[in-house]
Short mmCIF file of all heavy atoms in Angstrom, two decimals:
data_model
loop_
_atom_site.label_atom_id
_atom_site.label_comp_id
_atom_site.label_asym_id
_atom_site.label_seq_id
_atom_site.Cartn_x
_atom_site.Cartn_y
_atom_site.Cartn_z
N VAL A 29 46.35 91.14 13.51
CA VAL A 29 45.02 90.56 13.48
C VAL A 29 45.10 89.27 12.65
O VAL A 29 45.35 89.32 11.46
CB VAL A 29 43.99 91.52 12.84
CG1 VAL A 29 42.59 90.96 12.94
CG2 VAL A 29 44.07 92.91 13.46
N GLY A 30 44.91 88.14 13.33
CA GLY A 30 45.05 86.85 12.66
C GLY A 30 43.73 86.11 12.56
O GLY A 30 42.73 86.47 13.18
N ASN A 31 43.75 85.05 11.77
CA ASN A 31 42.60 84.20 11.51
C ASN A 31 41.47 84.97 10.81
O ASN A 31 40.29 84.76 11.09
CB ASN A 31 42.09 83.51 12.79
CG ASN A 31 41.28 82.27 12.47
OD1 ASN A 31 41.52 81.59 11.49
ND2 ASN A 31 40.30 81.98 13.31
N LEU A 32 41.86 85.83 9.90
CA LEU A 32 40.87 86.61 9.14
C LEU A 32 40.28 85.79 8.00
O LEU A 32 40.93 84.91 7.44
CB LEU A 32 41.54 87.85 8.53
CG LEU A 32 41.95 88.95 9.49
CD1 LEU A 32 42.80 89.99 8.77
CD2 LEU A 32 40.73 89.60 10.12
N SER A 33 39.06 86.13 7.65
CA SER A 33 38.41 85.55 6.48
C SER A 33 39.20 85.98 5.24
O SER A 33 39.72 87.08 5.17
CB SER A 33 36.98 86.07 6.38
OG SER A 33 36.45 85.83 5.10
N GLN A 35 37.92 86.76 2.56
CA GLN A 35 37.11 87.75 1.85
C GLN A 35 37.23 89.15 2.46
O GLN A 35 36.66 90.10 1.94
CB GLN A 35 35.63 87.34 1.86
CG GLN A 35 35.28 86.26 0.85
CD GLN A 35 35.80 84.90 1.23
OE1 GLN A 35 35.68 84.48 2.38
NE2 GLN A 35 36.40 84.19 0.30
N VAL A 36 37.98 89.29 3.55
CA VAL A 36 38.07 90.58 4.23
C VAL A 36 38.77 91.61 3.33
O VAL A 36 39.61 91.27 2.51
CB VAL A 36 38.83 90.43 5.59
CG1 VAL A 36 40.30 90.20 5.38
CG2 VAL A 36 38.59 91.64 6.47
N ARG A 37 38.35 92.86 3.49
CA ARG A 37 38.98 93.98 2.78
C ARG A 37 39.48 94.97 3.81
O ARG A 37 39.04 94.97 4.97
CB ARG A 37 37.97 94.67 1.87
CG ARG A 37 37.41 93.78 0.78
CD ARG A 37 36.33 94.49 0.05
NE ARG A 37 35.57 95.28 1.04
CZ ARG A 37 34.40 95.83 0.85
NH1 ARG A 37 33.80 95.70 -0.29
NH2 ARG A 37 33.78 96.52 1.79
N GLU A 38 40.39 95.85 3.40
CA GLU A 38 40.94 96.85 4.32
C GLU A 38 39.84 97.70 4.93
O GLU A 38 39.86 98.01 6.11
CB GLU A 38 41.98 97.73 3.61
CG GLU A 38 43.27 96.99 3.35
CD GLU A 38 44.35 97.86 2.72
OE1 GLU A 38 44.17 99.08 2.60
OE2 GLU A 38 45.40 97.29 2.35
N GLU A 39 38.84 98.05 4.13
CA GLU A 39 37.72 98.86 4.62
C GLU A 39 36.97 98.16 5.75
O GLU A 39 36.52 98.79 6.70
CB GLU A 39 36.75 99.20 3.49
CG GLU A 39 36.80 100.59 2.92
CD GLU A 39 37.07 101.70 3.92
OE1 GLU A 39 36.24 101.97 4.82
OE2 GLU A 39 38.12 102.34 3.80
N ASP A 40 36.81 96.84 5.62
CA ASP A 40 36.12 96.07 6.66
C ASP A 40 36.86 96.17 7.99
O ASP A 40 36.25 96.44 9.03
CB ASP A 40 36.03 94.58 6.26
CG ASP A 40 35.26 94.33 4.97
OD1 ASP A 40 34.29 95.07 4.71
OD2 ASP A 40 35.63 93.40 4.24
N LEU A 41 38.17 95.97 7.95
CA LEU A 41 38.96 96.05 9.18
C LEU A 41 38.94 97.45 9.77
O LEU A 41 38.81 97.62 10.97
CB LEU A 41 40.42 95.65 8.90
CG LEU A 41 40.82 94.22 9.15
CD1 LEU A 41 42.31 94.04 8.94
CD2 LEU A 41 40.42 93.74 10.51
N LYS A 42 39.06 98.43 8.89
CA LYS A 42 39.06 99.82 9.36
C LYS A 42 37.75 100.13 10.09
O LYS A 42 37.74 100.75 11.14
CB LYS A 42 39.26 100.78 8.19
CG LYS A 42 39.40 102.21 8.61
CD LYS A 42 39.78 103.10 7.44
CE LYS A 42 40.01 104.51 7.94
NZ LYS A 42 40.54 105.39 6.92
N GLN A 43 36.64 99.69 9.54
CA GLN A 43 35.33 99.94 10.13
C GLN A 43 35.22 99.31 11.52
O GLN A 43 34.77 99.94 12.47
CB GLN A 43 34.24 99.41 9.21
CG GLN A 43 32.85 99.72 9.70
CD GLN A 43 31.78 99.26 8.71
OE1 GLN A 43 32.08 98.60 7.72
NE2 GLN A 43 30.55 99.60 8.99
N VAL A 44 35.66 98.05 11.66
CA VAL A 44 35.57 97.36 12.95
C VAL A 44 36.46 98.04 13.99
O VAL A 44 36.04 98.29 15.12
CB VAL A 44 35.96 95.88 12.79
CG1 VAL A 44 36.16 95.22 14.14
CG2 VAL A 44 34.88 95.15 12.02
N PHE A 45 37.69 98.35 13.62
CA PHE A 45 38.63 98.94 14.59
C PHE A 45 38.30 100.39 14.91
O PHE A 45 38.63 100.88 15.99
CB PHE A 45 40.07 98.78 14.10
CG PHE A 45 40.65 97.44 14.43
CD1 PHE A 45 40.37 96.34 13.64
CD2 PHE A 45 41.45 97.26 15.55
CE1 PHE A 45 40.87 95.09 13.96
CE2 PHE A 45 41.96 96.02 15.88
CZ PHE A 45 41.67 94.93 15.07
N GLU A 47 35.64 101.58 15.80
CA GLU A 47 34.75 101.62 16.96
C GLU A 47 35.53 101.85 18.25
O GLU A 47 34.96 102.20 19.28
CB GLU A 47 33.94 100.33 17.06
CG GLU A 47 32.97 100.13 15.92
CD GLU A 47 32.20 98.82 16.04
OE1 GLU A 47 32.00 98.35 17.18
OE2 GLU A 47 31.83 98.28 14.98
N LEU A 56 46.80 94.55 4.68
CA LEU A 56 46.41 93.15 4.48
C LEU A 56 47.37 92.53 3.47
O LEU A 56 47.23 92.75 2.26
CB LEU A 56 44.98 93.06 3.95
CG LEU A 56 43.86 93.33 4.94
CD1 LEU A 56 42.52 93.33 4.23
CD2 LEU A 56 43.87 92.30 6.05
N LEU A 86 38.51 92.77 20.87
CA LEU A 86 38.40 91.95 19.66
C LEU A 86 39.14 90.62 19.69
O LEU A 86 38.87 89.75 18.87
CB LEU A 86 38.86 92.76 18.44
CG LEU A 86 38.00 93.99 18.12
CD1 LEU A 86 38.63 94.83 17.04
CD2 LEU A 86 36.59 93.57 17.74
N ASN A 88 39.78 87.02 20.21
CA ASN A 88 38.86 85.87 20.31
C ASN A 88 37.41 86.20 19.96
O ASN A 88 36.53 85.36 20.14
CB ASN A 88 38.92 85.21 21.70
CG ASN A 88 40.27 84.57 21.95
OD1 ASN A 88 40.79 83.88 21.09
ND2 ASN A 88 40.84 84.83 23.10
N ALA A 89 37.16 87.39 19.43
CA ALA A 89 35.81 87.76 19.00
C ALA A 89 35.46 87.02 17.70
O ALA A 89 36.33 86.77 16.86
CB ALA A 89 35.70 89.26 18.79
N GLU A 90 34.21 86.69 17.53
CA GLU A 90 33.72 86.05 16.32
C GLU A 90 33.43 87.15 15.29
O GLU A 90 32.68 88.09 15.57
CB GLU A 90 32.44 85.27 16.65
CG GLU A 90 31.90 84.47 15.51
CD GLU A 90 32.63 83.14 15.33
OE1 GLU A 90 33.31 82.69 16.26
OE2 GLU A 90 32.50 82.58 14.22
N TRP A 91 34.04 87.04 14.10
CA TRP A 91 33.83 88.04 13.05
C TRP A 91 33.99 87.37 11.69
O TRP A 91 34.96 86.68 11.45
CB TRP A 91 34.81 89.20 13.22
CG TRP A 91 34.55 90.35 12.29
CD1 TRP A 91 33.41 91.07 12.17
CD2 TRP A 91 35.47 90.90 11.34
NE1 TRP A 91 33.56 92.04 11.21
CE2 TRP A 91 34.82 91.96 10.68
CE3 TRP A 91 36.77 90.59 10.98
CZ2 TRP A 91 35.42 92.72 9.70
CZ3 TRP A 91 37.38 91.36 9.99
CH2 TRP A 91 36.71 92.42 9.36
N MET A 92 33.02 87.56 10.84
CA MET A 92 33.01 86.98 9.49
C MET A 92 33.19 85.46 9.56
O MET A 92 33.91 84.87 8.75
CB MET A 92 34.08 87.63 8.59
CG MET A 92 33.81 89.09 8.29
SD MET A 92 35.04 89.84 7.20
CE MET A 92 34.39 89.35 5.60
N GLY A 93 32.58 84.83 10.57
CA GLY A 93 32.63 83.38 10.71
C GLY A 93 33.92 82.83 11.28
O GLY A 93 34.16 81.63 11.22
N ARG A 94 34.76 83.69 11.84
CA ARG A 94 36.05 83.26 12.37
C ARG A 94 36.30 83.86 13.74
O ARG A 94 35.83 84.95 14.04
CB ARG A 94 37.16 83.70 11.44
CG ARG A 94 36.99 83.10 10.06
CD ARG A 94 38.28 82.96 9.48
NE ARG A 94 38.33 82.08 8.35
CZ ARG A 94 39.41 81.43 8.07
NH1 ARG A 94 40.46 81.50 8.84
NH2 ARG A 94 39.46 80.67 7.01
N SER A 95 37.06 83.16 14.56
CA SER A 95 37.47 83.66 15.87
C SER A 95 38.79 84.39 15.70
O SER A 95 39.82 83.79 15.40
CB SER A 95 37.63 82.48 16.84
OG SER A 95 38.05 82.95 18.09
N LEU A 96 38.77 85.71 15.85
CA LEU A 96 39.95 86.53 15.61
C LEU A 96 41.04 86.31 16.65
O LEU A 96 40.76 86.06 17.81
CB LEU A 96 39.58 88.01 15.62
CG LEU A 96 38.61 88.50 14.56
CD1 LEU A 96 38.35 89.98 14.75
CD2 LEU A 96 39.15 88.22 13.16
#
Side-chain angles (χ1 to χ4, degrees):
V29 186
N31 201 31
L32 289 171
S33 164
Q35 282 72 45
V36 72
R37 298 174 322 194
E38 287 184 8
E39 256 323 294
D40 300 326
L41 265 185
K42 186 172 184 173
Q43 184 176 7
V44 168
F45 277 81
E47 294 179 29
L56 286 174
L86 296 172
N88 294 314
E90 185 80 18
W91 187 58
M92 294 181 84
R94 300 209 163 209
S95 179
L96 297 179

